[in-house]
Amino acid sequence: MRPRKAVIPAGGWGTRFLPTTKSQPKEMLPLVDRPIIHYAVEEVVRCGAELVVIVSSLGKRAVEDYFDKNADLELFLERKGDTSLLHKVRQLADMADICYVRQKEQLGLGHAVLTAKQVVGNEPFMLVLPDDLFEQQERVLQRMADIFEQHQASVLAVRRVNEDQVSRYGIIEASSIGDRTYRVTSLVEKPKREEAPSNLAIMGRYILTPQVFEELENTSPGAGKEIQLTDGLRRLLSRQAIYAYEVEGDYYDAGTPLGWIKATIALALKHPEMGPEIREYLKSLVSVSRSDAC
Ligand code: UTP
């Protein structure tokens, strides 16, 4: 059985992107030609999600409006005869079956996941953090769903990070079972460099069994006084096996200004229409800044 539901948490404050995120959801920042959350919804739908549960909160109305039907705008574009834009706008409302749950207090990612408990029910689900993007975006969840199908156990996406970065992530200790797949033996949230069991960091893609909800309910607030998903996963590991899939290729954290700029450039370069022009533009910028430096 492959998971049929997906949870996309979008309830956080986005403090690393303030002041931009004071009045605008981080998940609605554009990446080239679409908002960040659009990529996440596309990704889970491609991986077979029949229901997408978005965790929303105060100030996130723009996310709900984005995936809603806008009859006035459609009428305007229809009258203008802009069929191409009309098609794009209509497609958004039909992209997926989406429902929203409200996180009333921003008590962390673990808490956001718990908010989706009633809607997900007693079945496995995909969890996608929208501001984590991978160069091999299309393949990551698919591969994780294959591993889930094989073992019927939770699967985490991990990636090797530099040792000086381990304190920013949830880190796993694991034994390799081949083909970039690991069996997890322990997990720790944001360890000190000297205490990290490895440099395999958990990155925003998960396939989780529903038992994680029970464990999150019994998880006390940890680092940053938030209910940490990694702490819930550590509890889950004491009753069930957890696997990890090591992602290849580049990764972008679009939740910070620098990461967002990098993701924008990388995606723009890959864009079929804009890519060639952006490449030339970047080359010209770099040569101008080189000659300025001389
Ligand atoms: P982040 O770790 O990026 O947290 O969350 P954040 O609050 O959005 O941003 P910073 O760290 O303050 O800059 C990863 C995902 O989990 C969601 C976020 O919206 C983001 O998509 N999240 C986080 C919630 O839904 N609720 C929370 O309480 C925390």
Side-chain angles (χ1 to χ4, degrees), residues 6 65 76 88 105 131 145 154 164 180 194 238 242 252 266 282:
D65 287 348
F76 172 75
K88 268 192 191 160
E105 273 183 285
D131 44 3
S154 298
D164 57 350
R180 306 188 81 84
E194 55 283 6
S238 64
I242 298 182
Y252 311 100
L282 288 176

Side-chain angles (χ1 to χ4, degrees), residues 12-83:
W13 285 115
T15 53
R16 290 168 301 152
F17 226 122
L18 281 169
T20 308
T21 45
K22 180 166 176 268
S23 58
Q24 136 114 353
K26 170 177 70 174
E27 298 77 15
M28 287 304 294
L29 291 173
L31 274 178
V32 186
D33 55 359
R34 283 163 282 168
I36 291 176
I37 196 156
H38 184 124
Y39 292 86
V41 171
E42 248 175 10
E43 185 181 342
V44 296
V45 167
R46 225 184 285 122
C47 197
E50 292 165 21
L51 180 68
V52 182
V53 185
I54 296 182
V55 180
S56 181
S57 64
L58 206 68
K60 302 279 181 165
R61 255 296 293 281
V63 174
E64 299 174 31
D65 287 348
Y66 181 74
F67 293 109
D68 207 348
K69 188 172 168 67
N70 185 334
D72 289 343
L73 178 62
E74 287 184 21
L75 189 65
F76 172 75
L77 293 171
E78 212 171 294
R79 286 203 181 128
K80 226 174 133 209
D82 198 332
T83 45

